Amino acid sequence: MEKSKYEEALSLYNCEVNEAEVREAVKKIIAEKVPENDTPEVKRFMFASICLTTLTTQDSAESVLQLVEKVNRFAHEYPDMPNVATIVTYPRFTKLVCDSLEVEDVIPTCVSGCFPSSQGLAEIKIAETGLAIRDGAKNVDIVMHVGEFLAGDYETVCDEISEQKATCGDVPMKVILETGDLLNLSNVKKASLLSMYAGADYIKTSTGKEKVSATPEAAYVMCQAIKEYYEKTGIMIGLKPAGGINSVMDALTYYTIVKEVLGEKWLTNYYFRLGTSRLANLILSELEGKEVKFF
């Protein structure tokens, strides 16, 4: 059978990942490079890369508004600190966030495309994404269809991503790979490359809704894929580790992986984002030298 354009794209890369080599490379980075990045300056930068998120069944207009008001207050109560990068909600709250957010450099963001499972009809995914953008979303996070990817139906996977990107237009779109469900790191690399070729502006590790979320090894392979894609196309793609980032040291590990694999060029709060709301208070506590529970 004739190869699809997506299989042709994959054939340009070595997608067979040696998992033992990746584990050793990550172990070396953690041991040798992470300590040098454990500085107040890096922590401030990571704070400015946080996607402050509320994606629960208990979300309501009242609870979302409370979160936005905290972000607005933070700008006044911590004038010497950068604010978080984004506020992430379900699409139904996008207009509320846009109407109540007073901080210009914080980006209203929504998950879309039948998050977190991506198991809805393609038409529904496109409609949901379009409605979120109509309401003011400036970033959109969608989920790659993991089931079709594992079944080898790359065309369906990529066509859905491409159609949602067409709906997004100039609005940056993150594609969540759900790396904890992809079985191996070779699949992580393939999913990364397919998503980028299909139109992703960022690739993101996970929804945070599965048993296994972000891992340093998955992020390392995703960075390798971003680097190789950039070398072939000249297009910079962003990275967002998300889910399971439970400490400042976890975040420093991802920061350092990006620095070592992709380089300083990717260390801006446009190309590097962290999907972890709990990190905000943890970083503030370390910088202030006392426990802070602002968010």
Side-chain angles (χ1 to χ4, degrees):
M1 291 179 64
E2 191 173 325
K3 286 184 179 180
S4 71
K5 62 181 178 180
Y6 301 113
E7 289 170 321
E8 290 284 357
L10 285 182
S11 71
L12 300 174
Y13 301 85
N14 177 11
C15 293
E16 297 304 314
V17 176
N18 185 313
E19 303 212 358
E21 287 181 3
V22 170
R23 286 194 297 271
E24 283 305 308
V26 168
K27 185 178 177 182
K28 186 175 182 181
I29 287 172
I30 292 172
E32 297 180 6
K33 299 295 183 179
V34 168
E36 68 190 39
N37 295 318
D38 189 3
T39 68
E41 292 75 21
V42 171
K43 290 171 186 174
R44 286 169 59 88
F45 167 76
M46 292 196 304
F47 187 91
S49 298
I50 291 172
C51 295
L52 202 64
T53 303
T54 182
L55 296 170
T56 75
T57 56
Q58 294 85 29
D59 288 346
S60 65
E62 182 181 4
S63 67
V64 170
L65 186 58
Q66 287 175 352
L67 182 65
V68 176
E69 288 174 346
K70 286 179 183 179
V71 172
N72 291 337
R73 281 200 348 260
F74 184 82
H76 300 289
E77 296 187 27
Y78 290 85
D80 296 328
M81 278 286 292
N83 217 314
V84 295
T86 73
I87 296 175
V88 186
T89 66
Y90 282 107
R92 67 178 293 127
F93 301 114
T94 299
K95 189 174 188 303
L96 173 64
V97 172
C98 292
D99 289 346
S100 54
L101 185 61
E102 299 169 1
V103 187
E104 288 185 5
D105 56 350
V106 177
I107 300 169
T109 301
C110 75
V111 297
S112 185
C114 301
F115 177 96
S117 69
S118 194
Q119 292 287 12
L121 296 169
E123 295 86 350
I124 301 298
K125 296 179 184 182
I126 293 165
E128 185 179 42
T129 298
L131 290 169
I133 291 170
R134 179 204 66 181
D135 287 347
K138 301 302 181 187
N139 276 190
V140 171
D141 293 16
I142 69 167
V143 184
M144 180 191 78
H145 198 294
V146 174
E148 298 297 354
F149 172 84
L150 292 175
D153 188 355
Y154 299 154
E155 194 157 3
T156 293
V157 170
C158 294
D159 284 352
E160 286 195 0
I161 292 170
S162 294
E163 288 165 358
Q164 289 184 81
K165 178 55 188 172
T167 303
C168 288
D170 293 334
V171 172
M173 184 183 77
K174 304 181 194 76
V175 176
I176 304 168
L177 308 183
E178 205 65 279
T179 54
D181 290 345
L182 294 184
L183 307 181
N184 56 62
L185 293 178
S186 294
N187 279 342
V188 171
K189 187 167 186 182
K190 289 177 187 176
S192 299
L193 291 165
L194 289 170
S195 296
M196 291 187 283
Y197 272 98
D201 298 292
Y202 294 76
I203 49 176
K204 176 178 169 182
T205 57
S206 23
T207 62
K209 303 294 187 182
E210 296 293 287
K211 289 181 181 179
V212 178
S213 292
T215 66
E217 291 78 14
Y220 181 90
V221 171
M222 292 166 71
C223 285
Q224 286 183 317
I226 290 170
K227 182 178 181 179
E228 292 174 26
Y229 181 80
Y230 175 69
E231 289 169 350
K232 287 193 185 296
T233 67
I235 300 170
M236 288 180 68
I237 301 296
L239 177 77
K240 182 179 173 180
I245 303 174
N246 297 314
S247 68
V248 175
M249 192 54 62
D250 288 342
L252 281 169
T253 296
Y254 291 111
Y255 170 93
T256 306
I257 288 170
V258 170
K259 182 178 179 182
E260 293 302 313
V261 179
L262 291 171
E264 300 274 356
K265 193 174 181 179
W266 266 264
L267 292 177
T268 73
N269 81 329
Y270 180 88
Y271 287 107
F272 178 66
R273 298 276 175 79
L274 288 164
T276 166
S277 295
R278 64 174 62 88
L279 186 64
N281 284 337
L282 294 174
I283 288 179
L284 282 175
S285 296
E286 290 205 6
L287 291 174
E288 295 286 310
K290 60 183 180 181
E291 186 175 17
V292 176
K293 293 184 177 180
F294 186 91
F295 292 102

